[in-house]
């Protein structure tokens, strides 16, 4: 296979090897890029980025070399939706930093400032291959008295990397919108009110864009939403910020397609139990889906037509799909490989399944220029596996984020090792 090296890579090879140069050699690399799968490949990493990838890449003198012979190498996993770093114990008395409540702050509710890169959940998911994640708000559930309920506009999601430093990759990466059955519950008990609330918000954002000078001159217009919320919605109406829309029922998805065409906004469906019924329409509209390939139980009347193999149907129709079951988020975002493996068992091509947990989420969120595949110039988010990563019992041997080897240690592994010791004091043997 001919060597594909960028101008950046050629420059790197022409210079003396520095402390920031690493070569991973001998592995079978699934690039999820134009080079496909490369046997006995070498990946050259310079200053946190991939400089070269191929089966005849020369390793510069002085470079740190990692022998990956007999191993499988993939891009880092990309969790497309969850609350990593926004919650530690879901049912604890502590604050739920992802929960949007009330109507004072809705579209402008931005979770980026609440992200905790030191959360114990970060390392737990990182050592199993997750390198990037979308952290998103969700509308709060009402308490017994009905107070504390959220809004259909839950606010702004962010994209983070699970490295130790500079974790925040992008603020305002998406706007979270809840429709369907739960959206109706947040809007007085009717879907019509939920759709009207969303349309009104978009209409006000468009009007605010045209009359922003009125605010600057102190002449406030009569809007339902605050200026903070309308500012947050500008990215949506400009087409730069996608809406992550929680919706399952096919009839709701049909309305969403109409709304996307009417307003020229970008939408990503989260859930989409019945999205497979409208696969060709979604492909035409350019609406992506975050899908759980094994979610086939009709948990409510919005999911009557949920079925196995929906991810395959959507992908085969040309829909961009990111795989993540509802249980493969936040605490168990690491279960992305299990979800992808289930999709393969249900008929999805293996390479397409790997793409759905790496490059496809990056493409959906506009991050594909910098991450999601092993290509020259991209961030060196790389995972070394002992064997097939979609097999349930295979775990990463090493994870790199931005070219840095991550410590393969978490709170769980520390506890495991602590209690496996046989020479502990009696108090620890119980």
């Amino acid at each position: 296979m001919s060597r594909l090296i960028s101008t950046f890579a050629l420059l790197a090879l022409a210079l003396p090897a520095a402390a920031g140069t690493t070569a991973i050699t001998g592995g079978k690399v699934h690039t999820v890029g134009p080079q496909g799968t490369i046997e006995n490949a070498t990946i050259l990493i310079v200053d946190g980025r991939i400089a070269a990838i191929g089966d005849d890449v020369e390793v510069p003198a002085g470079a740190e070399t990692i022998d990956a012979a007999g191993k499988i190498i993939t891009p880092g996993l990309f969790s497309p939706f969850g609350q990593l770093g926004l919650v530690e114990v879901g049912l604890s008395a502590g604050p739920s930093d992802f929960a949007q409540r009330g109507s004072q702050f809705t579209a402008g509710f931005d979770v980026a400032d609440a992200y905790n890169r030191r959360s114990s959940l970060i390392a737990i998911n990182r050592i199993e291959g997750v390198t990037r994640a979308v952290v998103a708000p969700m509308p709060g559930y009402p308490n017994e008295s009905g107070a504390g309920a959220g809004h259909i506009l839950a606010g702004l999601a962010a994209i983070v990397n699970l490295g130790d430093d500079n974790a925040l990759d992008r603020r305002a990466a998406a706007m979270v919108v809840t429709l369907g059955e739960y959206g109706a519950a947040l809007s007085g008990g009717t879907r019509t009110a939920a759709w009207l609330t969303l349309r009104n918000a978009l209409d006000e954002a468009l009007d605010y864009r045209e009359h922003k000078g009125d605010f600057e001159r102190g002449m406030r217009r009569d809007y339902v939403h605050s200026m903070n919320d309308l500012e947050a919605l500008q990215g949506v109406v400009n087409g730069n910020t996608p809406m992550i829309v929680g919706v399952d029922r096919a009839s709701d998805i049909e309305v969403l397609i109409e709304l996307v065409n009417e307003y020229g906004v970008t939408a990503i469906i989260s859930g989409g139990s019945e999205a497979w019924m409208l696969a060709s329409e979604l492909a035409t509209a350019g609406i992506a889906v975050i899908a759980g390939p094994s979610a086939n139980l009709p948990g409510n009347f919005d999911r009557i037509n949920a079925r196995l193999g929906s991810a395959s149907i959507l992908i085969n129709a040309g829909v961009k799909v990111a795989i993540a079951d509802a249980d493969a988020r936040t605490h168990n975002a690491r279960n992305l490989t299990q979800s992808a493996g289930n999709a393969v068992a249900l008929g999805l091509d293996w390479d397409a399944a790997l793409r759905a947990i790496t490059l496809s989420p990056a493409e959906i969120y506009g991050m594909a220029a910098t991450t999601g595949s092993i290509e020259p110039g991209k961030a060196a988010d790389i995972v070394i596996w002992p064997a097939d990563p979609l097999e349930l019992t295979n775990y990463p041997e090493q994870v790199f984020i931005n070219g840095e080897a991550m410590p393969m240690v978490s709170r769980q592994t520390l506890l495991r090792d602590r209690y496996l010791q046989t020479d502990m004091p009696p108090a620890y043997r119980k």
Side-chain angles (χ1 to χ4, degrees):
M1 181 179 294
S2 62
R3 177 169 49 190
L4 177 63
I5 304 179
S6 65
T7 301
F8 168 75
L10 290 173
L11 177 62
L13 288 173
L15 297 174
T21 301
T22 302
I24 304 173
T25 64
K28 180 179 181 179
V29 179
H30 296 273
T31 69
V32 198
Q35 290 179 272
T37 301
I38 308 173
E39 299 280 356
N40 193 27
T42 294
I43 304 171
L44 189 65
I45 302 169
V46 178
D47 294 332
R49 293 195 171 271
I50 298 165
I53 167 69
D55 57 8
D56 57 354
V57 172
E58 295 181 8
V59 178
E64 178 186 2
T65 302
I66 298 172
D67 183 4
K71 310 296 183 183
I72 302 293
I73 301 175
T74 70
L77 309 182
F78 196 130
S79 173
F81 190 85
Q83 286 76 43
L84 268 175
L86 300 177
V87 61
E88 197 71 30
V89 180
L91 297 179
S92 73
S96 296
D97 289 323
F98 64 87
Q100 179 278 329
R101 300 183 185 278
S103 58
Q104 181 179 8
F105 303 107
T106 59
F109 184 81
D110 189 346
V111 299
D113 289 329
Y115 177 69
N116 176 21
R117 63 186 176 87
R118 299 175 180 85
S119 165
S120 66
L121 302 184
I122 301 301
I124 289 170
N125 285 280
R126 181 173 62 203
I127 66 172
E128 295 200 29
V130 180
T131 60
R132 308 271 162 169
V134 173
V135 294
M138 290 289 287
Y141 286 90
N143 58 27
E144 293 181 358
S145 65
H151 193 273
I152 68 160
L153 296 173
L156 295 165
I159 297 175
V160 301
N161 70 72
L162 274 60
D164 290 330
D165 300 306
N166 302 316
L168 188 61
D169 287 338
R170 180 179 294 177
R171 286 177 173 267
M175 178 71 64
V176 177
V177 180
T178 303
L179 295 171
E181 184 176 272
Y182 189 47
L186 298 172
S187 307
T190 168
R191 296 172 199 269
T192 301
W195 285 110
L196 286 172
T197 300
L198 177 57
R199 288 179 177 275
N200 182 61
L202 296 176
D203 289 338
E204 288 189 349
L206 290 167
D207 188 80
Y208 174 78
R209 183 177 68 185
E210 298 300 320
H211 300 92
K212 191 173 181 179
D214 292 349
F215 278 82
E216 296 171 350
R217 292 188 295 270
M219 296 183 293
R220 292 185 61 84
R221 297 173 70 84
D222 187 19
Y223 292 138
V224 171
H225 297 84
S226 70
M227 185 170 67
N228 178 274
D229 293 333
L230 295 175
E231 285 284 357
L233 284 164
Q234 292 309 298
V236 175
V237 295
N238 291 337
N240 298 322
T241 304
M243 298 187 303
I244 304 174
V245 183
V247 66
D248 283 296
R249 199 167 79 172
S251 60
D252 286 328
I253 294 172
E254 288 172 330
V255 179
L256 177 63
I257 293 172
E258 293 175 2
L259 183 139
V260 164
N261 291 331
E262 177 183 352
Y263 286 91
V265 296
T266 302
I268 304 163
I269 291 175
S270 176
S273 295
E274 296 187 352
W276 64 271
M277 301 172 68
L278 299 164
S280 60
E281 291 90 337
L282 289 171
T284 300
I287 298 176
V289 178
I290 301 171
S294 57
N296 68 322
L297 297 178
N300 58 34
F301 287 104
D302 281 10
R303 305 173 186 172
I304 292 296
N305 293 297
R307 58 159 292 168
L308 296 172
S310 60
S312 301
I313 295 172
L314 290 165
I315 290 174
N316 291 338
V319 179
K320 190 74 67 178
V321 172
I323 286 178
D325 278 320
D327 293 330
R329 302 173 180 175
T330 311
H331 295 75
N332 286 316
R334 55 189 175 166
N335 289 350
L336 285 172
T337 53
Q338 180 180 0
S339 297
N342 287 338
V344 173
L346 294 167
L348 185 62
D349 175 74
W350 192 97
D351 289 314
L354 179 62
R355 183 186 182 96
I357 56 176
T358 54
L359 184 58
S360 289
E363 291 173 333
I364 288 169
Y365 290 106
M367 295 285 290
T370 57
T371 190
S373 60
I374 302 176
E375 299 181 57
K378 288 192 176 185
D381 291 357
I382 294 170
V383 185
I384 302 175
W385 307 81
D388 185 348
L390 304 190
E391 289 290 344
L392 186 60
T393 56
N394 291 330
Y395 303 96
E397 294 186 352
Q398 185 60 63
V399 176
F400 295 83
I401 299 178
N402 292 323
E404 181 180 354
M406 295 289 103
M408 301 301 287
V409 175
S410 72
R411 183 174 183 272
Q412 292 181 346
T413 64
L414 291 172
L415 287 171
R416 175 202 65 194
D417 295 342
R418 176 180 183 177
Y419 288 102
L420 280 177
Q421 296 183 46
T422 57
D423 58 348
M424 299 291 289
Y428 293 98
R429 299 176 193 162
K430 297 180 180 178

